[in-house]
């Protein structure tokens, strides 16, 4: 079973997030949880992102779970999801095959490369597994 959360958990109360993730871990002995989420909200760029979202009526109740990469991993572990891995989107992009990066860069002309890099340092991709059936889910890497 695959669970995907895309910019969801940051909007939920941390207690609800913990309960949801723990309930899923408790009900599914073998599963993968993938999370695309905000990270690093406390640096100057992150603070601007948070203020802009809140000014648009989008309060970030779950911001504490997004403090940094370690916080994202801790959230997985405390809910019973292990092992886990969490990387910034810049790291994810760098891990793409070289030919794919070149293809993307031919399609997408980056007028503001510095801005794109900054944004990618403030979003992460995390995944964690539970593998009661011994399917080898922990070996999945990006």
């Amino acid at each position: 079973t695959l669970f995907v959360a895309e910019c969801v958990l940051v909007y939920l109360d941390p207690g609800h997030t913990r309960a949801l993730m723990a309930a899923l871990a408790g009900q599914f002995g073998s599963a993968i949880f993938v999370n695309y989420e905000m990270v690093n909200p406390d640096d100057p760029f992150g603070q601007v992102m948070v203020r802009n979202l809140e000014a648009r009526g989008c309060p970030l109740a779950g911001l504490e779970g997004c403090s940094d990469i370690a916080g994202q991993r801790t959230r997985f572990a405390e809910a019973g999801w292990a092992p886990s891995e969490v990387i910034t989107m810049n790291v994810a992009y760098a891990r793409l095959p070289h030919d794919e990066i070149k293809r993307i860069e031919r399609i997408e002309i980056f007028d503001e490369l510095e801005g794109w890099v900054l944004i990618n340092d403030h979003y992460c991709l995390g995944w964690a597994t539970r593998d009661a059936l011994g399917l080898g889910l922990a070996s999945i890497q990006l």
Side-chain angles (χ1 to χ4, degrees):
T1 303
L2 170 65
F3 298 100
V4 178
E6 181 181 352
C7 295
V8 172
L9 304 179
V10 71
Y11 295 103
L12 299 177
D13 174 89
H16 292 137
T17 297
R18 280 189 291 276
L20 172 64
M21 292 177 73
L24 294 173
Q27 291 293 315
F28 294 86
S30 291
I32 301 172
F33 193 117
V34 176
N35 184 35
Y36 172 76
E37 191 75 81
M38 179 186 287
V39 71
N40 301 322
D42 297 325
D43 70 13
F45 186 85
Q47 290 172 358
V48 170
M49 287 176 52
V50 170
R51 281 194 306 270
N52 286 341
L53 287 166
E54 290 177 345
R56 289 177 171 81
C58 299
L60 303 173
L63 205 54
E64 75 180 43
C66 301
S67 59
D68 55 23
I69 296 294
Q72 294 274 357
R73 286 189 191 121
T74 297
R75 183 167 58 183
F76 276 128
E78 288 176 349
W81 291 89
S84 70
E85 183 60 54
V86 182
I87 57 176
T88 67
M89 293 308 294
N90 278 325
V91 172
Y93 185 73
R95 288 185 182 179
L96 291 173
H98 181 71
D99 291 344
E100 184 65 9
I101 291 172
K102 290 297 182 192
R103 185 188 73 78
I104 291 168
E105 291 175 356
R106 276 194 311 271
I107 294 170
E108 181 63 45
I109 299 170
F110 294 112
D111 294 332
E112 294 291 329
L113 185 59
E114 289 176 10
W116 190 74
V117 169
L118 259 174
I119 289 171
N120 283 337
D121 272 340
H122 289 83
Y123 284 89
C124 66
L125 181 62
W127 62 98
T129 60
R130 294 187 42 77
D131 197 5
L133 296 175
L135 302 173
L137 299 177
S139 66
I140 296 174
Q141 296 293 315
L142 176 67

